[in-house]
Amino acid sequence: MKIKGAFMVPHPPIIIPEIGKGQEKEIQTTIDGYKRAAKEIVTCSPDTIVLVSPHSIMYADYFHISPGKWANGDLGKFRAPQVAITVDYDEELAAEIGKEAKEKGIAAGTLGERDPRLDHGSLVPLYFIKEAYGGKIPCKIIRIGLSGFSFAEHYKLGMVIQKAAERLHRNTVFVASGDMSHRLKEDGPYGFKKEGPEYDAKLMTWMEKADFLPLLTADEQFCEIAGECGHRSLCMMAGALDGYAVNTERISYEGPFGVGYGICSFYPEKPDESRHFLKEAEEEKRRKLEERKANEDAYVKLARLALETYITEGKKLKVSEVSINLPDEMIKKQAGTFVSLKKDGSLRGCIGTIAATKSCIAEEIIDNAIKAAVSDPRFSPVEKDELQSLVYSVDVLGEAEKISSKDELDVKRYGVIVTKGYRRGLLLPNLDGIDTVEEQIRIAKQKAGIEEEETVEMERFEVVRHY
């Protein structure tokens, strides 16, 4: 095992005295914890530090490893250009990680460099590490960005990093940079959501116990609403510790500015077969999907059948061919419907109709299920191997009625349609993370290409949601 230690650290620029100008004293506990963690990193005598940052170059479908012999950066964007750091990169280990990732079918490598400068998610931990070394970082660095891939895929890349370090006999320290919830206080950067403190409490419990299974199986929608930015960094770190007993310690946690800052240390010990969390996470995911699938009602079953028939057989399902026992409403009534697809907790496609366009609700669902998978411009078409991972929901829309004021809306009960000339946008009700009518209207306008300050005509509608 060549991972000598791993560290969970935050990256608030305000913690740097040249930026905080005294305000950093309000997070003195985090400063003290950071200095301690940096000293422990030095004690590990690493040949290489693998640093994962949410603010490095990020792609939806690729892990970017910063290329080249060296890199530098400063905190000029935070009005502290004098805080500058230069590091040497470990090109050999970067190449080995890329090679091992390719063998495992993981999209990772040094392609796609857009900005070689060190980002603040890297500079803040490097500032403390440099200080602990006495002014110069003697070891080399690997800088890796996150991706839009699942938590599990980030864990897999961590496993690749562990293997690559072993192959090259590199004494390696893993630094997972990332703040926790940004929604702890009303006057915080993104306001308050109850999920914010809930997320931080759960995460710190998992981390202080090195319990990485709930880290991997956490609901991605919940994490998104909580406003976290470091969860995937931690998943990758957990993968780098895969298969080993871990001695962990919670060093500090606080969130006075409305953002959670947590610091923990992790030291791998002897091999432990009970700590291969990826397999457990995949089994739990399969179990939950099968349980949900078994409880789907006729509306959702039809959407699933329609899409699976289209993808696997290349044909559009006819209502007359459906073996599912459909309620009379689906055959005899017309209505607009929306079909939403999710994968690993994230939206994978959503298409719908405001009013009926087909002869019955069943036909409307069939058509929109296929379009959600292959015609949503925000996503690539769904592939056959994704079908078993999809979670469906179907919304059947009631008739829209005109309203004269936002006071007639209820974000949980009513969806909204906004119209400005030929531009028209719709947002469904009761969506995760949308808690106010103002947010609902703003997003509906955004979808229609309507500026936020423009006045619009509004309609409201109710839906029956099927899971």
Side-chain angles (χ1 to χ4, degrees):
M1 177 65 170
K2 288 298 179 179
I3 304 293
K4 295 299 181 182
F7 297 83
M8 164 187 173
V9 296
H11 52 244
I14 199 171
I15 202 172
I16 307 299
E18 291 86 343
I19 297 171
K21 299 185 184 304
Q23 258 192 301
E24 74 277 4
K25 294 176 182 177
E26 295 182 44
I27 50 171
Q28 189 62 48
T29 297
T30 301
I31 293 172
D32 295 341
Y34 228 132
K35 289 184 176 182
R36 175 183 159 186
K39 287 180 180 178
E40 290 188 26
I41 289 171
V42 171
T43 301
C44 289
S45 302
D47 301 317
T48 302
I49 294 173
V50 174
L51 175 56
V52 180
S53 169
H55 298 286
S56 184
I57 294 169
M58 180 174 177
Y59 292 100
D61 56 357
Y62 185 75
F63 291 105
H64 179 74
I65 304 170
S66 296
K69 295 181 179 297
W70 59 276
N72 60 15
D74 62 56
L75 291 170
K77 65 186 293 186
F78 300 98
R79 299 183 181 180
Q82 69 274 31
V83 181
I85 294 176
T86 299
V87 295
D88 293 323
Y89 282 150
D90 189 335
E91 292 184 282
E92 187 180 13
L93 182 54
E96 190 67 25
I97 291 170
K99 176 184 173 183
E100 178 71 17
K102 185 177 181 180
E103 290 176 6
K104 300 297 184 184
I106 300 170
T110 55
L111 301 176
E113 177 81 300
R114 295 196 303 264
D115 186 349
R117 294 172 297 178
L118 297 173
D119 62 283
H120 78 270
S122 302
L123 286 165
V124 171
L126 288 172
Y127 175 92
F128 285 97
I129 293 169
K130 178 182 176 181
E131 182 182 66
Y133 269 118
K136 180 177 174 58
I137 301 174
C139 62
K140 293 187 176 182
I141 305 294
I142 296 281
R143 185 169 62 122
I144 303 177
L146 305 180
S147 76
F149 288 134
S150 67
F151 297 160
E153 203 71 7
H154 285 74
Y155 189 94
K156 289 178 186 176
L157 185 61
M159 295 170 66
V160 161
I161 292 166
Q162 180 194 118
K163 185 70 173 179
E166 288 175 352
R167 280 185 177 178
L168 295 184
H169 304 289
R170 287 285 199 282
N171 290 331
T172 302
V173 165
F174 195 108
V175 176
S177 175
D179 295 334
M180 297 169 67
S181 172
H182 287 60
R183 291 173 172 154
L184 300 180
K185 298 173 67 177
E186 288 292 352
D187 59 353
Y190 297 100
F192 175 80
K193 297 280 188 183
K194 63 180 178 61
E195 290 84 357
E198 288 174 12
Y199 173 83
D200 280 15
K202 288 180 178 180
L203 185 64
M204 289 307 295
T205 298
W206 301 336
M207 292 298 96
E208 68 188 14
K209 295 178 180 178
D211 185 4
F212 299 145
L213 181 59
L215 186 72
L216 286 178
T217 58
D219 184 273
E220 293 202 30
Q221 186 69 39
F222 170 74
C223 295
E224 184 177 338
I225 294 170
E228 62 77 26
C229 83
H231 197 99
R232 283 173 167 80
S233 295
L234 295 174
C235 288
M236 200 183 300
M237 181 199 76
L241 299 169
D242 180 71
Y244 282 84
V246 175
N247 180 6
T248 182
E249 183 177 355
R250 171 179 174 149
I251 296 175
S252 67
Y253 170 81
E254 58 184 340
F257 302 132
V259 180
Y261 307 133
I263 301 176
C264 294
S265 64
F266 307 85
Y267 291 99
E269 298 179 328
K270 61 183 180 180
D272 185 341
E273 288 301 312
S274 71
R275 293 185 60 81
H276 293 292
F277 293 106
L278 185 61
K279 183 178 179 181
E280 285 186 70
E282 290 175 342
E283 288 175 354
E284 183 170 331
K285 176 184 172 182
R286 280 193 295 270
R287 180 185 60 77
K288 287 182 178 179
L289 283 170
E290 288 303 317
E291 183 178 311
R292 184 180 180 117
K293 186 175 178 180
N295 292 313
E296 290 173 345
D297 68 9
Y299 293 80
V300 178
K301 285 182 184 294
L302 179 61
R304 182 183 292 278
L305 179 61
L307 179 53
E308 291 182 351
T309 299
Y310 183 81
I311 297 292
T312 60
E313 300 179 26
K315 70 174 188 177
K316 186 174 180 179
L317 186 68
K318 296 179 180 178
V319 175
S320 59
E321 299 171 333
V322 174
S323 57
I324 301 167
N325 185 22
L326 302 178
D328 285 348
E329 179 195 57
M330 296 179 70
I331 304 298
K332 296 179 179 179
K333 291 186 178 181
Q334 292 177 291
T337 68
F338 271 75
V339 176
S340 301
L341 311 174
K342 286 188 175 181
K343 179 183 175 184
D344 296 323
S346 298
L347 189 66
R348 186 63 180 86
C350 179
I351 292 286
T353 44
I354 295 175
T357 63
K358 303 297 178 183
S359 64
C360 66
I361 290 174
E363 283 193 6
E364 206 82 36
I365 291 171
I366 290 169
D367 197 57
N368 287 330
I370 294 168
K371 288 179 179 176
V374 302
S375 300
D376 189 330
R378 297 169 293 178
F379 304 96
S380 60
V382 168
E383 300 286 346
K384 184 177 179 179
D385 62 2
E386 296 180 86
L387 293 175
Q388 294 303 311
S389 300
L390 295 179
V391 170
Y392 295 68
S393 65
V394 176
D395 288 287
V396 180
L397 279 60
E399 289 189 20
E401 57 178 332
K402 288 187 177 181
I403 57 174
S404 57
S405 166
K406 67 180 184 180
D407 295 336
E408 297 176 73
L409 289 171
D410 179 328
V411 72
K412 297 299 181 185
R413 179 180 177 183
Y414 296 112
V416 66
I417 301 169
V418 297
T419 304
K420 182 74 172 181
Y422 65 88
R423 293 171 292 169
R424 203 174 193 203
L426 174 148
L427 197 69
L428 296 168
N430 198 24
L431 296 176
D432 290 335
I434 301 175
D435 299 325
T436 68
V437 166
E438 288 75 18
E439 286 179 283
Q440 189 183 38
I441 294 172
R442 178 181 58 80
I443 295 170
K445 284 182 173 181
Q446 188 179 64
K447 291 175 71 175
I450 299 170
E451 295 296 328
E452 194 168 341
E453 66 275 7
E454 290 187 77
T455 57
V456 293
E457 295 179 354
M458 291 191 294
E459 299 168 88
R460 71 182 186 184
F461 60 91
E462 292 185 274
V463 306
V464 177
R465 182 161 294 160
H466 301 267
Y467 295 97

